[in-house]
Amino acid sequence: MANLEADVAHEAVRQFLDGHFATLESLELIGDLLNDEESTHAQLEKDLDNASHATEALRDEATDISQSLHAKALALIDLHSEVVGASTDESVSAWQFRDGTETMDLVADLAAKLESYGKLSCAKTYIDTLLEVEQARQSARQSLSKSPQGMLSAYRKLFDILAAHCSGGSAEPLTSGSATSDYSADGPPQPSNLLEHIKQSVLEIWNEANKAAASAQSQSLSSLGWPAKMDLSSSAAVGAFDSSFSTLASLDHITRAASDTLARCGLSLRADDAPPLPLEHMARAVDIRMRYHFESARTTSRADKPEWWLSQVLGMLRNTVTFLESHVQRLVDGTTLPRVDARNEFIRLVLPVVQRKLAHDRSEYIRGGLAIAHVVHELADFEHTLRDVFFYDGPSVLDQFLADSDLFAAWVEAERANAVESYMQTIAEPNPFELIYDDDMLGADDAKPSRLAEKVVLVTEDVAERYAVVPSCMRRLQLLSTAQFPILIALVEDIEGEIDEFSRISLAFIRDAGIANAVTTKPTTAAQSPLVSQLARLTSWYQTIWYVEEAADDWNNSANYVDLWAAVCQRAVALGRNTDPRDWRMDCDEWSDTDRVLLDEPARQTLVNDDWLDGGIWQRAIGTLRELKQRTLDLISRAINKDVVGQLRAYRKKSSWDAGDIDASDDTNISIELSGLLPELSSVLAALATMVPFRAFVLLLRQLETELDTFLVERVALAHSFSPIGGQQFARDVDALSQLFCSSASRGTTKKSKQCMLLRSRECSRILACCMDSTTAPAADDIPLSLGEWGPTVTSLDASDRETELLLKKLGISRLSVKEVRSLVVQRIDFERIMGV
């Protein structure tokens, strides 16, 4: 029994020390505590003496009543014994007295006395409790500013009283509007009203103590220089902060320790997961300053300047974090409160201030539209600083901000409207396809942007830059689908409309102009040529498409869009059912939370289709642009070919190839029918070389060379009979055209092209200009054998095609068919005379 009492005493001492000395710094206040305890003890003795006198008076009155009741009870017993002893009739009740009126009066009086005794006993208990509660309240209030430890002791006493009178029933939570003690007119208050009075007293003292300690902490922080850079050189200011921190920590500890009692009584003061009370009040100081400067009618409260208030929050954190890590963390570790990282917990408590400010400006964000993008960027930078500088590891404010579906929809619509407006303004301007850079600013193989192309690329990249910081892949894809792809679609549709209109009207004009130019031999300059003006129009479309296509190809390989492509591929794998990730835009407007999980948190699965690895989010757009670019290039090629072939009509109809009166003394002359075409074609090709990238120019040149080569072989060489002199003239014409192509192909390069052009036409000219007998020495480029030596073998019906092909290969003729060679040999008029054909 002695051991048990000693354990109880030790436990009481330990609880007393934990409650009064939660930190080492609080030991310095032991002198104040002793003085407070002595004054409190004196007051309590005085109150006890008064209560003793009142109790003694009540006890004397109760004793008199008790003695009176006792005497009357003895008389009643004697009377009962007399009645029972005198009665011989067993059927008569022992309580049937001779004088019934006197007996009933005695019983009634006894009952009244017993009821009065019970009421007096209840009243005494009630009054004792009220006195005890009132003493604790008065003691707590008197100690608020003078003795924090005395206040805590009184606060703990109230909890002891509450625990003694709380039965654990289904009590309703007490609010600030609850009644105190409800005194009845018919008697003293009921016990339930007493409990409510105790609960109300606990709540009042909690609020008053919490407010006083928080005010003391706020004053101490101001003394340290907060929210500016804190100066810890003043030991008095640091001590004041430590004292207020200790008081708040002890208040929090007492409240947490009484959580079971509070729960039984239906009273809620602190949530189970509430942060340490001192840190909560430090964060509340930030809240007060934010409300004053940025949530009021002051000029600093502007929704379009989120950087103002976010920088203020970061500034206060920057001035506080060092203090939290070096000083507050030690104070937290020295208390009995749950262990927390003071720095991280403080940031977590400040972030609701940011969220409330965002909610305060929400309506203006929705009206402003693109202002949301600015807020998103500032929030992203804010969180980046929190995580990289202050090592915050809590939930994202940016994610919570964008989770507002109405706000995000307003942003998407604003991006779409802004992109469309920018595009429509540019295309409505005069000459939107006009190239905006000089030739010397870009290389020969670089695409040259038009004003419209540059606007499309800039608008698309601006949108991407604004949403690049959005952490959700699903939201980025929705912005991509709504604000970026429609611009490229509009560009493709507008260029296709231009091409269709050009195909319907302009090619007929080019063809007619080419025929008209072929009638005259007067050369036309490039500036005068209608073909060049039409080519400038076509190449501006080509350059526009190429520039946008190259930009889209760069986008496709950038990290931002690679992540988006990986997300849609992972979603396709998860959905299965032969889902093609390239179809992601078909239902992106109907994506649900399930799609969000698949896109934002993709499972690490292996892609089942290797083609997806070579694809990308812009793959289909790039394919469409390439098809349109090829269509434009084909149209350019068609326009040039039509013009050149139209000007060769007179050359095709030339009938003097078999004549012998051609001037053979001048072996440099070309046919008069080509004298106007060659300089104009040279000017056109020179102009074309400046209009398109070099690769496209070479491709167009090859297509023209192929078209012209086919024309010379089929419409000239195989369509006429040739004399040796006519064959030599044809050879000079082919050589002049070939040199023109070679010089054009080498334009813009340091090396001169040695690649032969018009190869089939060259072989035709070699056959048509080949000497008839071996007496004439062949030229360097001529066939080494005379036509009389190899011609009969080629034209012989007895020779097989295989033998003829081997012979022609030795002669250097490999691109013409055997049938075409036979036709050319037979069309030599001198060969016909020799063979007698």
Side-chain angles (χ1 to χ4, degrees):
M1 185 66 180
N3 292 335
L4 179 60
E5 292 177 352
D7 291 340
V8 172
H10 292 163
E11 179 63 22
V13 171
R14 188 186 64 79
Q15 291 181 359
F16 177 83
L17 293 176
D18 287 344
H20 290 80
F21 307 106
T23 63
L24 295 176
E25 288 77 4
S26 59
L27 291 175
E28 300 175 358
L29 306 175
I30 190 169
D32 294 338
L33 175 61
L34 292 175
N35 294 332
D36 292 339
E37 290 294 332
E38 288 177 357
S39 59
T40 302
H41 181 70
Q43 180 65 34
L44 290 176
E45 285 184 346
K46 182 179 178 181
D47 293 339
L48 179 60
D49 185 59
N50 294 333
S52 297
H53 290 299
T55 304
E56 187 66 27
L58 290 173
R59 184 179 295 109
D60 292 342
E61 183 180 356
T63 301
D64 293 340
I65 295 173
S66 177
Q67 291 175 354
S68 175
L69 289 174
H70 181 69
K72 291 183 178 183
L74 292 176
L76 180 61
I77 293 173
D78 293 340
L79 180 61
H80 176 266
S81 301
E82 179 183 352
V83 171
V84 172
S87 176
T88 57
D89 188 355
E90 294 181 357
S91 63
V92 177
S93 172
W95 292 98
Q96 289 181 349
F97 303 106
R98 293 188 300 270
D99 189 357
T101 302
E102 180 182 357
T103 304
M104 295 306 298
D105 289 343
L106 178 62
V107 172
D109 186 47
L110 179 61
K113 296 295 183 180
L114 287 173
E115 182 179 358
S116 298
Y117 180 79
K119 288 181 178 181
L120 288 173
S121 177
C122 180
K124 178 180 180 300
T125 304
Y126 197 96
I127 292 172
D128 288 343
T129 304
L130 287 177
L131 286 174
E132 195 174 7
V133 170
E134 188 62 26
Q135 289 172 0
R137 291 177 61 175
Q138 292 298 327
S139 176
R141 285 173 175 158
Q142 292 172 2
S143 305
L144 281 177
S145 58
K146 300 179 181 178
S147 174
Q149 297 300 330
M151 177 270 296
L152 294 173
S153 178
Y155 183 58
R156 185 180 294 101
K157 180 63 175 179
L158 282 174
F159 275 117
D160 294 339
I161 298 172
L162 180 64
H165 289 80
C166 184
S167 60
S170 57
E172 294 294 330
L174 182 64
T175 62
S176 59
S178 300
T180 57
S181 54
D182 183 14
Y183 289 91
S184 173
D186 298 331
Q190 299 299 316
S192 60
N193 298 73
L194 177 62
L195 178 60
E196 291 301 316
H197 178 67
I198 299 172
K199 290 163 58 177
Q200 184 66 35
S201 300
V202 170
L203 183 60
E204 289 177 0
I205 296 304
W206 157 259
N207 291 331
E208 293 174 6
N210 188 20
K211 182 178 179 181
S215 177
Q217 179 176 266
S218 178
Q219 292 176 4
S220 64
L221 284 173
S222 298
S223 301
L224 292 171
W226 193 88
K229 189 174 182 180
M230 303 182 74
D231 182 10
L232 304 182
S233 59
S234 173
S235 58
V238 174
F241 174 81
D242 292 350
S243 177
S244 61
F245 189 96
S246 176
T247 300
L248 286 170
S250 299
L251 193 66
D252 195 4
H253 170 72
I254 295 170
T255 307
R256 292 176 187 270
S259 58
D260 293 340
T261 301
L262 291 171
R264 289 198 310 270
C265 297
L267 184 61
S268 178
L269 300 181
R270 300 276 289 161
D272 293 338
D273 57 348
L277 191 59
L279 294 178
E280 187 175 322
H281 283 296
M282 288 184 69
R284 194 166 297 164
V286 178
D287 185 14
I288 294 172
R289 285 165 174 78
M290 287 294 296
R291 288 179 186 272
Y292 176 76
H293 290 288
F294 302 107
E295 296 181 37
S296 61
R298 298 176 64 85
T299 56
T300 52
S301 180
R302 293 180 53 178
D304 62 333
K305 296 292 183 180
E307 61 272 20
W308 287 4
W309 56 271
L310 287 173
S311 63
Q312 286 293 318
V313 173
L314 288 177
M316 286 186 282
L317 288 177
R318 191 174 296 109
N319 294 331
T320 310
V321 162
T322 303
F323 179 65
L324 290 169
E325 293 176 336
S326 63
H327 191 79
V328 175
Q329 185 66 58
R330 179 171 56 84
L331 296 179
V332 172
D333 294 342
T335 67
T336 57
L337 297 176
R339 295 294 182 265
V340 295
D341 182 345
R343 168 187 42 76
N344 198 70
E345 188 68 17
F346 181 75
I347 296 175
R348 189 184 68 81
L349 292 171
V350 168
L351 289 186
V353 178
V354 177
Q355 294 170 340
R356 192 189 63 246
K357 172 60 178 173
L358 293 173
H360 178 270
D361 295 335
R362 178 179 181 273
S363 58
E364 294 190 45
Y365 294 153
I366 292 178
R367 286 195 301 270
L370 284 181
I372 300 172
H374 180 49
V375 177
V376 168
H377 260 270
E378 293 299 329
L379 280 177
D381 292 342
F382 175 76
E383 286 201 356
H384 176 76
T385 303
L386 290 184
R387 299 187 186 281
D388 291 357
V389 177
F390 302 124
F391 306 104
Y392 173 67
D393 59 357
S396 168
V397 178
L398 180 57
D399 278 342
Q400 296 174 2
F401 179 70
L402 293 176
D404 187 334
S405 58
D406 293 337
L407 188 139
F408 182 72
W411 181 20
V412 172
E413 176 58 25
E415 291 285 5
R416 185 201 64 78
N418 180 70
V420 170
E421 181 182 3
S422 298
Y423 178 84
M424 296 305 295
Q425 287 177 352
T426 304
I427 202 170
E429 295 175 355
N431 304 320
F433 293 99
E434 181 182 1
L435 303 183
I436 56 177
Y437 294 123
D438 296 333
D439 296 340
D440 55 354
M441 295 183 64
L442 298 171
D445 206 25
D446 295 329
K448 302 172 184 177
S450 64
R451 285 190 292 169
L452 183 61
E454 188 172 55
K455 176 60 71 174
V456 167
V457 172
L458 288 177
V459 168
T460 305
E461 290 180 347
D462 286 346
V463 175
E465 183 179 359
R466 283 193 288 269
Y467 72 68
V469 297
V470 175
S472 169
C473 286
M474 186 184 80
R475 294 190 178 97
R476 280 187 283 161
L477 287 167
Q478 289 172 334
L479 280 161
L480 170 65
S481 175
T482 306
Q484 291 178 285
F485 276 131
I487 302 302
L488 266 68
I489 294 172
L491 175 68
V492 169
E493 291 176 348
D494 287 337
I495 294 180
E496 284 180 338
E498 295 280 351
I499 290 175
D500 292 340
E501 183 69 13
F502 184 90
S503 300
R504 187 175 64 86
I505 298 175
S506 299
L507 282 182
F509 171 76
I510 292 173
R511 184 163 54 252
D512 294 341
I515 295 172
N517 290 339
V519 175
T520 178
T521 59
K522 184 178 180 180
T524 306
T525 63
Q528 297 170 334
S529 173
L531 174 62
V532 174
S533 62
Q534 298 298 333
L535 289 178
R537 185 180 177 191
L538 287 169
T539 53
S540 67
W541 301 337
Y542 182 87
Q543 293 277 13
T544 297
I545 301 167
W546 193 332
Y547 184 79
V548 176
E549 179 212 339
E550 288 191 339
D553 194 54
D554 291 338
W555 301 336
N556 207 42
N557 296 317
S558 65
N560 180 29
Y561 295 110
V562 168
D563 291 342
L564 297 182
W565 178 246
V568 297
C569 288
Q570 293 289 0
R571 174 177 175 269
V573 172
L575 294 178
R577 303 188 302 276
N578 299 321
T579 304
D580 191 338
R582 292 169 295 186
D583 297 331
W584 65 270
R585 289 191 66 226
M586 295 177 61
D587 60 346
C588 70
D589 294 335
E590 302 174 358
W591 280 344
S592 62
D593 289 340
T594 302
D595 298 292
R596 181 187 59 78
V597 172
L598 294 176
L599 291 166
D600 293 348
E601 302 175 3
R604 300 300 178 186
Q605 303 181 38
T606 304
L607 297 184
V608 298
N609 192 331
D610 292 339
D611 293 339
W612 297 357
L613 298 174
D614 299 327
I617 210 72
W618 291 95
Q619 181 181 8
R620 285 190 170 174
I622 293 172
T624 301
L625 291 169
R626 284 177 179 169
E627 292 175 1
L628 187 59
K629 182 182 70 173
Q630 186 59 47
R631 182 184 174 190
T632 308
L633 193 65
D634 293 342
L635 195 59
I636 296 172
S637 177
R638 181 184 171 194
I640 299 173
N641 295 349
K642 286 282 186 180
D643 182 79
V644 173
V645 171
Q647 295 192 55
L648 287 173
R649 178 176 295 183
Y651 187 76
R652 175 175 62 84
K653 293 183 177 180
K654 181 178 178 179
S655 59
S656 59
W657 296 112
D658 57 352
D661 56 351
I662 300 177
D663 187 6
S665 61
D666 188 359
D667 58 358
T668 61
N669 289 338
I670 60 173
S671 299
I672 192 172
E673 292 83 359
L674 293 180
S675 59
L677 171 65
L678 290 181
E680 181 178 351
L681 181 58
S682 177
S683 300
V684 169
L685 292 178
L688 183 63
T690 63
M691 296 178 185
V692 295
F694 184 71
R695 286 179 297 176
F697 173 73
V698 171
L699 182 60
L700 291 170
L701 196 64
R702 288 190 177 279
Q703 292 176 346
L704 177 59
E705 183 262 344
T706 301
E707 179 78 13
L708 192 56
D709 196 22
T710 302
F711 175 85
L712 292 174
V713 172
E714 296 180 358
R715 306 298 293 277
V716 179
L718 294 176
H720 297 86
S721 296
F722 285 82
S723 65
I725 296 177
Q728 294 171 7
Q729 181 64 55
F730 181 74
R732 289 196 293 272
D733 294 342
V734 170
D735 187 61
L737 288 170
S738 179
Q739 289 181 4
L740 174 62
F741 280 110
C742 288
S743 61
S744 298
S746 62
R747 185 177 289 115
T749 62
T750 57
K751 282 188 174 183
K752 189 171 182 179
S753 175
K754 296 182 179 180
Q755 187 176 11
C756 294
M757 300 288 184
L758 305 173
L759 296 178
R760 295 181 72 235
S761 298
R762 279 184 173 278
E763 291 186 357
C764 289
S765 67
R766 293 174 65 198
I767 294 173
L768 295 176
C770 182
C771 55
M772 181 54 66
D773 52 48
S774 58
T775 58
T776 304
D781 193 39
D782 287 347
I783 297 175
L785 298 179
S786 64
L787 184 60
E789 293 175 320
W790 61 271
T793 304
V794 173
T795 57
S796 174
L797 299 177
D798 296 333
S800 64
D801 289 345
R802 178 59 179 169
E803 293 176 352
T804 305
E805 289 175 357
L806 291 175
L807 174 60
L808 294 177
K809 187 175 181 180
K810 292 180 180 180
L811 298 176
I813 300 173
S814 59
R815 288 173 174 80
L816 295 174
S817 66
V818 173
K819 182 179 179 181
E820 289 173 336
V821 173
R822 285 172 179 168
S823 298
L824 291 171
V825 172
V826 170
Q827 287 171 194
R828 281 282 297 269
I829 57 175
D830 51 347
F831 183 78
E832 295 176 356
R833 289 195 297 269
I834 292 175
M835 299 300 296
V837 180

